[in-house]
Amino acid sequence: MASVVSICNLALSNIGKDNISDLSEASAEARACNQFYAQTRDLLLQSFHWSAAGKTASLAEVTNDKPGAWKFAYNRPADCLKVRWIRPQYVADPNSVLVDCMPLGREDQFPYEIEGGTLYCNLSPCLLRYTFRLTDPAKFSPLFVEALAWHLTVRLAMPLTRDAKVRSDAMAIARSTQATAEAADAGEVTTRYDIVSEFVAVRDHG
């Protein structure tokens, strides 16, 4: 099971550096991991609609200070890294894969605007599907862990090796591992959606 330290050690080993046992260590390796880990994780989470990092929430309405442009205003969740889509109501159980897959091709049918911590739209109620800040490494897939470790390697390369070629090589591998992780994640969601869709079709027409 992955942990923050184990992911950092994967990244350190990629550039031939010693492992750490704790992020609070007084070592250059630990300080660099502390500096770059969270930012690298959030950027990777934000870059793709990872299935493990998807969340649906009913938004809390706030005072609309743009009544001429939008009908309603809502608080954006504090852990929201990226909005995926909004909709007026659930079409399936919120724990179902259908919550992620039902809007395929229709994600932009409900316009919205985000300014600071406020989301503006014309829906009431408003349900938001978004990428949240997933901080528990135990919930990362092995391929995501590999991609995250290599992206962290990119960040660690210059402060710990001062070698631009090491950084460049790490970047190429990071992009490749991320593409592999994205394809696997997208394939898993598509497969699950196909299975659920077939079940729904049999249920509705059987």
Side-chain angles (χ1 to χ4, degrees):
M1 185 177 296
S3 67
V4 173
V5 170
S6 70
I7 294 171
C8 289
N9 283 335
L10 283 173
L12 290 168
S13 67
N14 289 337
I15 51 175
K17 294 298 179 179
D18 292 335
N19 285 355
I20 61 174
S21 57
D22 195 280
L23 288 173
S24 62
E25 286 180 13
S27 66
E29 289 81 3
R31 287 193 297 271
C33 289
N34 261 314
Q35 180 178 359
F36 296 115
Y37 174 80
Q39 174 72 359
T40 305
R41 177 203 62 210
D42 287 355
L43 284 173
L44 185 57
L45 286 171
Q46 196 175 39
S47 69
F48 181 74
H49 288 184
W50 304 102
S51 56
K55 183 186 289 187
T56 304
S58 179
L59 299 183
E61 190 172 350
V62 296
T63 301
N64 182 10
D65 58 356
K66 294 187 176 183
W70 302 99
K71 294 180 180 178
F72 305 100
Y74 299 92
N75 274 328
R76 176 177 177 170
D79 64 347
C80 176
L81 291 176
K82 182 178 182 179
V83 172
R84 299 189 182 186
W85 44 258
I86 62 172
R87 65 163 49 152
Q89 61 185 11
Y90 285 121
V91 297
D93 185 289
N95 295 317
S96 169
V97 67
L98 288 179
V99 171
D100 246 344
C101 295
M102 185 62 73
L104 286 175
R106 297 187 291 114
E107 295 89 343
D108 298 329
Q109 66 176 316
F110 301 114
Y112 61 86
E113 176 186 353
I114 295 176
E115 187 174 292
T118 305
L119 183 149
Y120 301 89
C121 66
N122 296 322
L123 302 180
S124 181
C126 180
L127 294 166
L128 170 68
R129 185 68 176 175
Y130 66 98
T131 297
F132 73 97
R133 182 174 286 106
L134 178 59
T135 60
D136 183 359
K139 296 181 179 178
F140 297 158
S141 72
L143 286 173
F144 183 92
V145 168
E146 187 74 6
L148 176 54
W150 276 107
H151 276 286
L152 183 57
T153 300
V154 175
R155 293 297 189 96
L156 299 177
M158 289 306 292
L160 295 181
T161 73
R162 305 295 181 184
D163 190 328
K165 186 178 186 308
V166 170
R167 184 185 185 280
S168 177
D169 291 345
M171 176 64 78
I173 299 174
R175 289 171 175 166
S176 175
T177 55
Q178 180 178 348
T180 300
E182 289 178 357
D185 196 78
E188 179 180 346
V189 171
T190 301
T191 301
R192 289 166 59 208
Y193 175 59
D194 289 344
I195 292 172
V196 174
S197 296
E198 181 178 353
F199 168 77
V200 171
V202 171
R203 180 197 63 192
D204 291 345
H205 301 290

